[in-house]
Amino acid sequence: MSGEDAVTAQVFSVDESVELAVVERSGFVESRHAGSAVVLGPEGDVLRTLGAPERPVFPRSSMKPFQAVAVMGAGVPLEGASAVLATASHGGTPAHLSVVRKILAQAQLTEDALRCPADWPLDTAARDELVRAGEHKHPVYMNCSGKHAAMLLACRVNGWPTESYLDPSHPMQQHIRDTVERLTGEKVVATGVDGCGAPVHAMSLLALARGIQRIATASDGSPFALFRNAALLKNAVLADGWAIDGPGRANTVVIDELGVFTKGGAEGVMVMAAPDGTTVTLKVLDGSLRAASIVALRLLADAGALTHDDVGRVAPKLDLAVLGRGAPVGAIRASYA
């Protein structure tokens, strides 16, 4: 069995997953989203499991907090919005791009040094403005460009080569892997190539939850640099929620409205840590993110870390309405038992 086949065999199946959410249209359940999830209490105890959270997944962009902490641990003094852009899947607004370019300027590099693929901004208004101006796709507009700029800055600070910074054997990527394992408490079970070209490491949802919780509960007074950097990142994200996603986008809404540390990832991955440290990680099996935020929020509320009233107040801002001729005729809602 090849390494790829071995990993495929380990990923949880439909039989191991549970229904997490449904899509209702005019009183009819039109679609169902299955997956797995785990909830950790403030002290790290497992409060609840759904499906098979022990199975490995690629966290995709939900791994970015680990990558950002690793960059900081490599001697890069990121603060404020710069720290947030290092962990962001940003909307590509002018404000986002200004911070990315600031990080590149610190590294004395141009945008051509970025090895992420050319793309348009996720933010519709920003994309439309570029199209009207006759611009084209570019790596700096790609939602991962902040992470890449931060990695490049770490390379410059340490004298590492910049052209090969995405190679798994590069010192930057080796340092990230070590940081992932230290924060999650598990060895990486497989490594792939993320959509942006950076290595992405497979881990269980339980390991992912432990790592995110350690970041979300870290103290800036810790005797360990790893956790001081984690605390700096957490505080920056909570202070500048706009930078991790964008105005009106799900992660930013949850951070700004509820003070919850959150980071979504492609293919249906979501991580959230409430102010008291209660942490949820989940994976929607079909890869859709549309229900991930509301499911994670409801799990936090069920655990007592948020109120159901607060979740209900934020829900209308999460694009959960199902439309018919432009008017709401249903909604996406959490449905796990």
Side-chain angles (χ1 to χ4, degrees), residues 69-324:
V69 170
V71 165
M72 295 159 71
V76 178
L78 293 176
E79 296 181 348
S82 292
V84 186
L85 259 295
T87 195
S89 297
H90 65 79
T93 67
H96 290 117
L97 300 182
S98 175
V99 179
V100 175
R101 287 166 173 149
K102 174 185 173 183
I103 297 171
L104 287 171
Q106 286 179 264
Q108 298 182 317
L109 292 169
T110 68
E111 295 170 16
D112 292 336
L114 295 168
R115 294 291 182 263
C116 50
D119 205 350
W120 292 111
L122 295 176
D123 182 83
T124 302
R127 181 192 64 205
D128 290 350
E129 184 62 30
L130 289 170
V131 172
R132 282 192 293 267
E135 297 290 339
H136 301 281
K137 291 181 178 181
H138 193 279
V140 76
Y141 304 142
M142 201 260 176
N143 74 88
C144 300
S145 65
K147 176 182 79 174
H148 284 249
M151 289 180 183
L152 284 165
L153 179 54
C155 290
R156 296 288 276 186
V157 166
N158 289 279
W160 298 331
T162 56
E163 298 81 4
S164 57
Y165 74 94
L166 297 181
D167 191 303
S169 64
H170 189 281
M172 180 74 261
Q173 300 306 329
Q174 289 293 305
H175 179 59
I176 288 171
R177 181 178 178 129
D178 178 67
T179 301
V180 167
E181 292 181 341
R182 290 178 66 191
L183 285 169
T184 64
E186 287 189 9
K187 291 291 185 182
V188 167
V189 298
T191 298
V193 181
D194 211 337
C196 67
V200 60
H201 303 303
M203 63 192 72
S204 69
L205 285 174
L206 181 57
L208 180 60
R210 286 175 175 151
I212 292 298
Q213 185 175 65
R214 284 169 179 152
I215 292 175
T217 59
S219 168
D220 53 15
S222 172
F224 302 103
L226 176 68
F227 295 109
R228 292 196 300 274
N229 289 329
L232 193 157
L233 177 67
K234 169 198 64 177
N235 293 335
V237 167
L238 295 179
D240 287 303
W242 66 270
I244 202 169
D245 199 348
R249 296 179 62 80
N251 282 182
T252 293
V253 168
V254 171
I255 291 166
D256 289 349
E257 295 281 345
L258 299 173
V260 171
F261 183 92
T262 183
K263 185 70 194 75
E267 296 302 321
V269 181
M270 182 61 67
V271 304
M272 288 190 186
D276 73 347
T278 303
T279 300
V280 170
T281 58
L282 64 86
K283 160 76 175 177
V284 181
L285 190 57
D286 63 16
S288 174
L289 269 171
R290 62 181 175 177
S293 290
I294 193 62
V295 172
L297 287 172
R298 184 180 149 188
L299 284 167
L300 287 175
D302 287 350
L306 300 174
T307 69
H308 285 283
D309 285 346
D310 280 341
V311 173
R313 173 176 56 83
V314 170
K317 301 179 182 182
L318 297 177
D319 194 24
L320 300 174
V322 173
L323 304 180

Side-chain angles (χ1 to χ4, degrees), residues 12 17-25 28-37 48 50-51 268 270 282-299 302 318-322 330-337:
F12 64 85
S17 63
V18 301
E19 183 181 284
L20 297 177
V22 297
V23 181
E24 287 185 337
R25 178 182 297 276
F28 181 85
V29 175
E30 187 172 29
S31 299
R32 302 178 187 276
H33 292 298
S36 292
R48 187 172 193 174
L50 299 170
M270 182 61 67
L282 64 86
K283 160 76 175 177
V284 181
L285 190 57
D286 63 16
S288 174
L289 269 171
R290 62 181 175 177
S293 290
I294 193 62
V295 172
L297 287 172
R298 184 180 149 188
L299 284 167
D302 287 350
L318 297 177
D319 194 24
L320 300 174
V322 173
I332 302 166
R333 62 174 178 82
S335 62
Y336 60 85

